[in-house]
PDB file of all heavy atoms in Angstrom:
ATOM      1  N   LYS A1540      49.094 -14.362  -3.122  1.00 78.00           N
ATOM      2  CA  LYS A1540      50.346 -14.779  -2.471  1.00 78.00           C
ATOM      3  C   LYS A1540      50.078 -15.757  -1.338  1.00 78.00           C
ATOM      4  O   LYS A1540      50.943 -16.529  -0.941  1.00 78.00           O
ATOM      5  CB  LYS A1540      51.076 -13.563  -1.900  1.00 78.00           C
ATOM      6  CG  LYS A1540      51.419 -12.502  -2.921  1.00 78.00           C
ATOM      7  CD  LYS A1540      52.032 -11.308  -2.204  1.00 78.00           C
ATOM      8  CE  LYS A1540      52.197 -10.119  -3.142  1.00 78.00           C
ATOM      9  NZ  LYS A1540      52.611  -8.910  -2.402  1.00 78.00           N
ATOM     10  N   TYR A1541      48.864 -15.648  -0.787  1.00 73.00           N
ATOM     11  CA  TYR A1541      48.562 -16.462   0.390  1.00 73.00           C
ATOM     12  C   TYR A1541      47.781 -17.724   0.042  1.00 73.00           C
ATOM     13  O   TYR A1541      47.438 -18.511   0.895  1.00 73.00           O
ATOM     14  CB  TYR A1541      47.738 -15.635   1.396  1.00 73.00           C
ATOM     15  CG  TYR A1541      48.534 -14.500   1.987  1.00 73.00           C
ATOM     16  CD1 TYR A1541      48.653 -13.285   1.301  1.00 73.00           C
ATOM     17  CD2 TYR A1541      49.180 -14.630   3.210  1.00 73.00           C
ATOM     18  CE1 TYR A1541      49.380 -12.238   1.823  1.00 73.00           C
ATOM     19  CE2 TYR A1541      49.908 -13.584   3.745  1.00 73.00           C
ATOM     20  CZ  TYR A1541      50.008 -12.389   3.047  1.00 73.00           C
ATOM     21  OH  TYR A1541      50.734 -11.359   3.573  1.00 73.00           O
ATOM     22  N   LEU A1542      47.456 -17.865  -1.225  1.00 71.00           N
ATOM     23  CA  LEU A1542      46.652 -19.027  -1.609  1.00 71.00           C
ATOM     24  C   LEU A1542      47.444 -20.302  -1.379  1.00 71.00           C
ATOM     25  O   LEU A1542      48.637 -20.377  -1.638  1.00 71.00           O
ATOM     26  CB  LEU A1542      46.251 -18.925  -3.081  1.00 71.00           C
ATOM     27  CG  LEU A1542      45.165 -17.900  -3.415  1.00 71.00           C
ATOM     28  CD1 LEU A1542      44.909 -17.879  -4.904  1.00 71.00           C
ATOM     29  CD2 LEU A1542      43.881 -18.221  -2.673  1.00 71.00           C
ATOM     30  N   SER A1543      46.750 -21.278  -0.919  1.00 59.00           N
ATOM     31  CA  SER A1543      47.401 -22.571  -0.692  1.00 59.00           C
ATOM     32  C   SER A1543      47.801 -23.178  -2.034  1.00 59.00           C
ATOM     33  O   SER A1543      47.148 -22.990  -3.053  1.00 59.00           O
ATOM     34  CB  SER A1543      46.438 -23.509   0.026  1.00 59.00           C
ATOM     35  OG  SER A1543      46.957 -24.799   0.012  1.00 59.00           O
ATOM     36  N   LYS A1544      48.902 -23.866  -2.025  1.00 63.00           N
ATOM     37  CA  LYS A1544      49.317 -24.566  -3.233  1.00 63.00           C
ATOM     38  C   LYS A1544      48.422 -25.765  -3.517  1.00 63.00           C
ATOM     39  O   LYS A1544      48.430 -26.324  -4.603  1.00 63.00           O
ATOM     40  CB  LYS A1544      50.769 -25.023  -3.094  1.00 63.00           C
ATOM     41  CG  LYS A1544      51.752 -23.855  -3.019  1.00 63.00           C
ATOM     42  CD  LYS A1544      53.165 -24.357  -2.863  1.00 63.00           C
ATOM     43  CE  LYS A1544      54.137 -23.169  -2.781  1.00 63.00           C
ATOM     44  NZ  LYS A1544      55.529 -23.620  -2.566  1.00 63.00           N
ATOM     45  N   THR A1545      47.639 -26.111  -2.513  1.00 63.00           N
ATOM     46  CA  THR A1545      46.727 -27.232  -2.705  1.00 63.00           C
ATOM     47  C   THR A1545      45.543 -26.799  -3.548  1.00 63.00           C
ATOM     48  O   THR A1545      44.889 -25.803  -3.254  1.00 63.00           O
ATOM     49  CB  THR A1545      46.206 -27.723  -1.338  1.00 63.00           C
ATOM     50  OG1 THR A1545      47.314 -28.004  -0.512  1.00 63.00           O
ATOM     51  CG2 THR A1545      45.362 -28.963  -1.513  1.00 63.00           C
ATOM     52  N   THR A1546      45.265 -27.522  -4.587  1.00 72.00           N
ATOM     53  CA  THR A1546      44.115 -27.213  -5.425  1.00 72.00           C
ATOM     54  C   THR A1546      42.975 -28.166  -5.101  1.00 72.00           C
ATOM     55  O   THR A1546      43.178 -29.207  -4.477  1.00 72.00           O
ATOM     56  CB  THR A1546      44.481 -27.351  -6.908  1.00 72.00           C
ATOM     57  OG1 THR A1546      44.959 -28.680  -7.123  1.00 72.00           O
ATOM     58  CG2 THR A1546      45.552 -26.349  -7.300  1.00 72.00           C
ATOM     59  N   ILE A1547      41.817 -27.794  -5.540  1.00 77.00           N
ATOM     60  CA  ILE A1547      40.655 -28.656  -5.308  1.00 77.00           C
ATOM     61  C   ILE A1547      40.702 -29.829  -6.271  1.00 77.00           C
ATOM     62  O   ILE A1547      40.677 -29.649  -7.484  1.00 77.00           O
ATOM     63  CB  ILE A1547      39.356 -27.851  -5.476  1.00 77.00           C
ATOM     64  CG1 ILE A1547      39.250 -26.808  -4.360  1.00 77.00           C
ATOM     65  CG2 ILE A1547      38.139 -28.755  -5.465  1.00 77.00           C
ATOM     66  CD1 ILE A1547      38.061 -25.916  -4.456  1.00 77.00           C
ATOM     67  N   LYS A1548      40.825 -31.031  -5.711  1.00 80.00           N
ATOM     68  CA  LYS A1548      40.912 -32.241  -6.535  1.00 80.00           C
ATOM     69  C   LYS A1548      39.550 -32.545  -7.159  1.00 80.00           C
ATOM     70  O   LYS A1548      38.525 -32.436  -6.493  1.00 80.00           O
ATOM     71  CB  LYS A1548      41.339 -33.436  -5.671  1.00 80.00           C
ATOM     72  CG  LYS A1548      42.674 -33.269  -4.973  1.00 80.00           C
ATOM     73  CD  LYS A1548      43.815 -33.550  -5.919  1.00 80.00           C
ATOM     74  CE  LYS A1548      45.149 -33.531  -5.152  1.00 80.00           C
ATOM     75  NZ  LYS A1548      46.292 -33.663  -6.074  1.00 80.00           N
ATOM     76  N   ASP A1549      39.579 -32.953  -8.409  1.00 82.00           N
ATOM     77  CA  ASP A1549      38.338 -33.350  -9.061  1.00 82.00           C
ATOM     78  C   ASP A1549      37.705 -34.517  -8.314  1.00 82.00           C
ATOM     79  O   ASP A1549      38.379 -35.469  -7.912  1.00 82.00           O
ATOM     80  CB  ASP A1549      38.606 -33.766 -10.510  1.00 82.00           C
ATOM     81  CG  ASP A1549      38.952 -32.571 -11.370  1.00 82.00           C
ATOM     82  OD1 ASP A1549      38.728 -31.434 -10.907  1.00 82.00           O
ATOM     83  OD2 ASP A1549      39.450 -32.768 -12.490  1.00 82.00           O
ATOM     84  N   PHE A1550      36.383 -34.421  -8.146  1.00 84.00           N
ATOM     85  CA  PHE A1550      35.574 -35.472  -7.536  1.00 84.00           C
ATOM     86  C   PHE A1550      35.992 -35.811  -6.103  1.00 84.00           C
ATOM     87  O   PHE A1550      35.742 -36.910  -5.621  1.00 84.00           O
ATOM     88  CB  PHE A1550      35.596 -36.754  -8.406  1.00 84.00           C
ATOM     89  CG  PHE A1550      35.228 -36.470  -9.826  1.00 84.00           C
ATOM     90  CD1 PHE A1550      36.172 -36.608 -10.838  1.00 84.00           C
ATOM     91  CD2 PHE A1550      33.962 -36.024 -10.149  1.00 84.00           C
ATOM     92  CE1 PHE A1550      35.836 -36.326 -12.147  1.00 84.00           C
ATOM     93  CE2 PHE A1550      33.623 -35.741 -11.460  1.00 84.00           C
ATOM     94  CZ  PHE A1550      34.562 -35.890 -12.466  1.00 84.00           C
ATOM     95  N   SER A1551      36.626 -34.854  -5.440  1.00 89.00           N
ATOM     96  CA  SER A1551      36.914 -35.003  -4.009  1.00 89.00           C
ATOM     97  C   SER A1551      35.743 -34.423  -3.220  1.00 89.00           C
ATOM     98  O   SER A1551      34.800 -33.874  -3.796  1.00 89.00           O
ATOM     99  CB  SER A1551      38.208 -34.264  -3.662  1.00 89.00           C
ATOM    100  OG  SER A1551      38.037 -32.885  -3.978  1.00 89.00           O
ATOM    101  N   LYS A1552      35.809 -34.520  -1.897  1.00 90.00           N
ATOM    102  CA  LYS A1552      34.729 -33.968  -1.065  1.00 90.00           C
ATOM    103  C   LYS A1552      34.624 -32.458  -1.260  1.00 90.00           C
ATOM    104  O   LYS A1552      33.525 -31.902  -1.373  1.00 90.00           O
ATOM    105  CB  LYS A1552      34.980 -34.305   0.412  1.00 90.00           C
ATOM    106  CG  LYS A1552      33.833 -33.909   1.326  1.00 90.00           C
ATOM    107  CD  LYS A1552      34.134 -34.207   2.767  1.00 90.00           C
ATOM    108  CE  LYS A1552      33.940 -35.652   3.112  1.00 90.00           C
ATOM    109  NZ  LYS A1552      32.520 -36.055   3.189  1.00 90.00           N
ATOM    110  N   GLU A1553      35.790 -31.773  -1.294  1.00 91.00           N
ATOM    111  CA  GLU A1553      35.737 -30.321  -1.457  1.00 91.00           C
ATOM    112  C   GLU A1553      35.177 -29.930  -2.825  1.00 91.00           C
ATOM    113  O   GLU A1553      34.555 -28.877  -2.985  1.00 91.00           O
ATOM    114  CB  GLU A1553      37.130 -29.698  -1.254  1.00 91.00           C
ATOM    115  CG  GLU A1553      38.197 -30.112  -2.241  1.00 91.00           C
ATOM    116  CD  GLU A1553      38.984 -31.319  -1.776  1.00 91.00           C
ATOM    117  OE1 GLU A1553      38.449 -32.071  -0.951  1.00 91.00           O
ATOM    118  OE2 GLU A1553      40.127 -31.513  -2.235  1.00 91.00           O
ATOM    119  N   TYR A1554      35.383 -30.802  -3.804  1.00 92.00           N
ATOM    120  CA  TYR A1554      34.836 -30.565  -5.154  1.00 92.00           C
ATOM    121  C   TYR A1554      33.293 -30.562  -5.088  1.00 92.00           C
ATOM    122  O   TYR A1554      32.628 -29.674  -5.642  1.00 92.00           O
ATOM    123  CB  TYR A1554      35.336 -31.669  -6.080  1.00 92.00           C
ATOM    124  CG  TYR A1554      34.882 -31.561  -7.514  1.00 92.00           C
ATOM    125  CD1 TYR A1554      35.600 -30.804  -8.439  1.00 92.00           C
ATOM    126  CD2 TYR A1554      33.744 -32.240  -7.955  1.00 92.00           C
ATOM    127  CE1 TYR A1554      35.186 -30.722  -9.757  1.00 92.00           C
ATOM    128  CE2 TYR A1554      33.329 -32.156  -9.269  1.00 92.00           C
ATOM    129  CZ  TYR A1554      34.052 -31.404 -10.167  1.00 92.00           C
ATOM    130  OH  TYR A1554      33.636 -31.315 -11.474  1.00 92.00           O
ATOM    131  N   SER A1555      32.740 -31.559  -4.396  1.00 93.00           N
ATOM    132  CA  SER A1555      31.274 -31.650  -4.290  1.00 93.00           C
ATOM    133  C   SER A1555      30.700 -30.530  -3.443  1.00 93.00           C
ATOM    134  O   SER A1555      29.633 -29.985  -3.754  1.00 93.00           O
ATOM    135  CB  SER A1555      30.873 -33.012  -3.708  1.00 93.00           C
ATOM    136  OG  SER A1555      31.181 -34.032  -4.618  1.00 93.00           O
ATOM    137  N   LEU A1556      31.402 -30.190  -2.344  1.00 94.00           N
ATOM    138  CA  LEU A1556      30.906 -29.096  -1.504  1.00 94.00           C
ATOM    139  C   LEU A1556      30.890 -27.772  -2.275  1.00 94.00           C
ATOM    140  O   LEU A1556      29.962 -26.964  -2.141  1.00 94.00           O
ATOM    141  CB  LEU A1556      31.773 -28.955  -0.251  1.00 94.00           C
ATOM    142  CG  LEU A1556      31.189 -29.576   1.032  1.00 94.00           C
ATOM    143  CD1 LEU A1556      31.002 -31.070   0.882  1.00 94.00           C
ATOM    144  CD2 LEU A1556      32.057 -29.246   2.236  1.00 94.00           C
ATOM    145  N   THR A1557      31.908 -27.572  -3.080  1.00 94.00           N
ATOM    146  CA  THR A1557      31.964 -26.350  -3.886  1.00 94.00           C
ATOM    147  C   THR A1557      30.845 -26.342  -4.917  1.00 94.00           C
ATOM    148  O   THR A1557      30.177 -25.323  -5.127  1.00 94.00           O
ATOM    149  CB  THR A1557      33.327 -26.245  -4.597  1.00 94.00           C
ATOM    150  OG1 THR A1557      34.363 -26.332  -3.616  1.00 94.00           O
ATOM    151  CG2 THR A1557      33.448 -24.939  -5.358  1.00 94.00           C
TER     152      THR A1557
END
Side-chain angles (χ1 to χ4, degrees):
K1540 302 175 189 172
Y1541 293 83
L1542 286 178
S1543 169
K1544 294 179 180 177
T1545 306
T1546 57
I1547 293 177
K1548 301 280 186 186
D1549 289 346
F1550 307 113
S1551 60
K1552 187 182 281 287
E1553 63 269 23
Y1554 181 87
S1555 293
L1556 259 62
T1557 305

